Structure formats: C-alpha cells, structure tokens
Amino acid sequence: MNTCILGIESSCDDTAAAIIKDGRLLSNITHVQVDHSKYGGVVPESASRQHDRNIVPVVDEAIQQAGISKSDISAVAFTRGPGLIGSLLVGVGFAKAFALALGIPIIEVNHLQAHILAHFIEEPHPGFPFLCLTVSGGHTQLVRVDSHLDMTVLGQTLDDAAGEAYDKTGKMLGLPYPAGPEIDRLAKEGNPESFHFPEPRIKGLDFSFSGLKTAVLYFLNDRTAENPDFIKTNLADLCASIQQRINTILIAKLRRAVRETGISEVALAGGVSANSGLRAIAQHYAEKDGWQLHIPHPPYTTDNAAMIAITGYYKFLAGKFADQNITPLARYPI
Ligand code: KG4
Ligand code: ZN
C-alpha cells in the first residue's frame, strides 16, 4: 500500500502545504505573506488572519498539483511548534478537522526537526550520524543527528538567532524585512574586510549575537554623527563586513563541533543556509578539513511544507501518531 502524507506548515508568516508519496515529493505549495515587510517584522495577528484565509486554497492546490484525490492521503502531518501561537493554531486546527473528516491519523511535527529532515527531500541524503547547523529567523542550533527521529542539541544561541542578527542589523542599515537576503545580495559588491566587528567569546558550542547587534548600532551611531551619508556611501562594505562576522561566528562553532565529535558528515539547514557567503565558507572548510557537506536547495532551506511532509513520512513509518486532543506549542525544544 502507498503512504501518502499531506504536510502543513503555518508556524510563522508562510502558509504551506505539500504532498509526499512513499518518500517522493509530488507537490510543494507556499503562500508567502509579503505585507509584513512594511512593518519591519511579522505582525502576529495579521499572520494568523492570513493563514486562516489561505490554508484551504493552499491545501487544495497541493492536492491538485500532486494529481491525487483526498481519499489517497494516508495521514496529515502538521507543525506543532515552535512558532507564533495564533499561526500554529490555524494549521493544527485545520489538520485535525481534515483528518477527522477523512478518518485518517494525524502526525505532529517539530519545526526544527523538520528543517533538519529537509535533507531527505532530495538525494543524496546525509549519512548517520551527521552534524546539522540549523540557522533560521528564530533559531540557531548545532544538532547531532543519529537517525531520522533521534537528535541531540549540542549547542544553541543564548540570545538572538543568526537570522535575527541579519534582520536586525539590516534594519539599522535601512533595509526592508527580512534583511538577510538583501544583505546577501549587497555583500557581493562589498569588501568584507572594510569594517571589523567583534567576535563574542562564548564557551562550548553555544552562540551569541546580541553583542554584535549592539556593536553595529554604536558603530553606526558614531559614524553617522560625523557623516550623515555614512551608511549610504558604505552600504555594500557594511553588508559584506556584517555578513562575514555572522558567518565566521557560525563556522567557528561548527568546526569545533566536528573536532569534538569526530563527525565529518556536516549539514546546513534553515533560512540563513541560503546565504551565499555561508555556503562558500562552509564549502571552503569542507575541502580544507575533509567534511562531506550537505546544503539543501534554497526552496527547502526557508520555511516550507515539504520538510513537514517528509518528517511526517518517517514518523508514519515509525508509527508515531498524535491524538485529536493535541494543542500547538509556541516553544518546542527538539
Ligand atoms: O527558516 P526561515 O525561513 O524561517 C524561520 O523558521 O525563522 O528563516 C528565515 C530567516 C530570516 O531571518 C531571513 O533573513 C533569513 O532566514 N535568510 C537569509 C537569507 N535568506 C533568508 N539570511 C541571510 N542570507 C540569505 N540569503
Ligand atoms: Zn523555519
């Protein structure tokens, strides 16, 4: 019998649905909520309302594009958390009602585990055990992955996430939200050695980005007091220097994790792994230190439902189903 999983993602500002049949992706639909950029960040109430409007058409499109009918679906996998509670409620409520109506099971998915399992949407898959650096707008973690469903967090951020570091420093430069992709684009024209921002000294495999944020703020305040056009005339160099510092903080810990665990199968995951500078520096160390490096294609790095469906598929095979009385979790550690 075929195993056909409908995956639903609604943890932040993207409404997404995907179909995976026997581990193969048949459709992957994402409705991106664009209007948050004018407010400089995601407005939770607006995000929930848009999920509420979009969830039915997005799921319909995923089913149609997959060329299946509702009766072919074996189970519904959905993001339980972490995320914005109002946004999660829409996906969780929809998944439960949809599954109840069809008489099929539901599977709850941890969004952070799903970012890691995005590596199993396409071949080649990483071999176990592997280390995964998950870098997104809300999370920064180093995870040891022993099997699809057995993961241990080795280190994480003590304050801001790497994506937040991009978005908040980008906001100081006057860039629209989310600033990460904009910084990436502008950094290509700039010199990363132009400005030097400090590297924090954090023990073990944990990360910190709040010091960098404050350093950039004070630096920009000082320079713009002398020259009001400072940001405008140095924008590319500022982006390149900030990007380089965020990425060197991340890579230093990743290299340390490889040394400490002896695992050289290495993966990047999450929205920030779309960053071309991070990809290049990871590639550099992969060659230098002999890592087998895995980076998903950009559509599978940012939030998507294919990663929820593939996680649902492995949980389905392991018989890990949820009860109808399940509720979302705004905080949900791996
Ligand atoms: O994984 P994701 O889509 O959502 C969360 O779960 O948070 O990650 C979104 C984050 C945002 O902070 C965004 O600025 C960042 O990923 N991002 C990037 C790039 N593309 C997305 N940061 C740096 N360079 C990029 N190319
Ligand atoms: Zn995410």
Side-chain angles (χ1 to χ4, degrees):
M1 208 183 79
N2 293 320
T3 302
C4 193
I5 307 289
L6 164 64
I8 292 173
E9 156 63 29
S10 73
S11 64
C12 190
D13 56 344
D14 295 330
T15 318
I19 301 282
I20 282 196
K21 189 174 175 187
D22 296 328
R24 206 166 60 81
L25 185 66
L26 298 187
S27 65
N28 186 28
I29 308 297
T30 305
H31 178 275
V32 180
Q33 302 179 1
V34 286
D35 61 333
H36 297 288
S37 63
K38 58 178 183 273
Y39 303 109
V42 177
V43 181
E45 178 63 19
S46 165
S48 326
R49 288 180 190 209
Q50 293 187 65
H51 283 306
D52 199 35
R53 270 202 305 278
N54 296 327
I55 188 109
V56 172
V58 165
V59 169
D60 252 345
E61 199 179 334
I63 292 171
Q64 269 179 38
Q65 222 179 72
I68 61 160
S69 64
K70 289 192 188 90
S71 58
D72 296 322
I73 300 172
S74 323
V76 186
F78 60 89
T79 303
R80 185 183 186 194
L84 300 171
I85 198 73
S87 293
L88 290 166
L89 271 166
V90 176
V92 175
F94 178 90
K96 290 204 285 187
F98 189 88
L100 198 62
L102 290 174
I104 55 175
I106 50 171
I107 300 168
E108 57 106 359
V109 171
N110 180 311
H111 181 88
L112 297 171
Q113 253 185 359
H115 267 302
I116 296 172
L117 293 182
H119 285 279
F120 295 85
I121 298 168
E122 288 184 321
E123 307 266 2
H125 302 169
F128 298 115
F130 67 90
L131 294 175
C132 188
L133 174 66
T134 309
V135 276
S136 74
H139 304 275
T140 300
Q141 291 189 323
L142 257 168
V143 182
R144 180 192 162 109
V145 186
D146 284 290
S147 73
H148 294 113
L149 304 178
D150 182 7
M151 302 182 183
T152 314
V153 177
L154 304 177
Q156 54 196 324
T157 183
L158 304 174
D159 39 60
D160 290 347
E164 264 178 300
Y166 272 106
D167 296 338
K168 288 180 178 173
T169 52
K171 195 172 176 180
M172 294 172 202
L173 299 175
L175 302 176
Y177 175 87
E182 259 316 87
I183 292 184
D184 191 355
R185 193 178 61 78
L186 291 161
K188 293 193 174 95
E189 315 289 318
N191 175 4
E193 306 300 331
S194 305
F195 306 107
H196 181 81
F197 297 110
E199 182 164 2
R201 303 206 176 281
I202 306 295
K203 278 203 224 121
L205 295 173
D206 287 333
F207 305 85
S208 169
F209 291 99
S210 66
L212 172 64
K213 186 181 62 185
T214 312
V216 172
L217 180 67
Y218 287 156
F219 174 81
L220 292 177
N221 283 348
D222 285 351
R223 294 298 179 98
T224 47
E226 291 162 14
N227 168 14
D229 286 336
F230 177 74
I231 294 178
K232 210 164 93 194
T233 48
N234 294 281
L235 189 57
D237 288 342
L238 284 164
C239 287
S241 303
I242 292 169
Q243 173 169 299
Q244 162 135 310
R245 175 49 78 223
I246 295 173
N247 292 345
T248 52
I249 293 172
L250 293 170
I251 290 290
K253 295 293 177 151
L254 182 55
R255 291 186 77 201
R256 183 177 177 149
V258 170
R259 274 198 311 275
E260 288 183 1
T261 59
I263 298 172
S264 57
E265 191 91 14
V266 171
L268 304 183
V272 179
S273 66
N275 184 266
S276 55
L278 183 62
R279 287 172 172 243
I281 173 169
Q283 199 62 54
H284 168 80
Y285 284 112
E287 278 155 35
K288 185 163 177 283
D289 297 348
W291 306 345
Q292 292 78 53
L293 180 65
H294 303 267
I295 312 177
H297 280 124
Y300 306 132
T301 60
T302 48
D303 287 350
N304 64 86
M307 69 185 194
I308 307 302
I310 195 78
T311 307
Y313 174 68
Y314 288 113
K315 289 188 110 173
F316 184 97
L317 296 181
K320 291 189 182 298
F321 300 106
D323 285 336
Q324 269 287 337
N325 60 6
I326 197 163
T327 50
L329 295 172
R331 287 174 184 274
Y332 191 7
I334 283 184

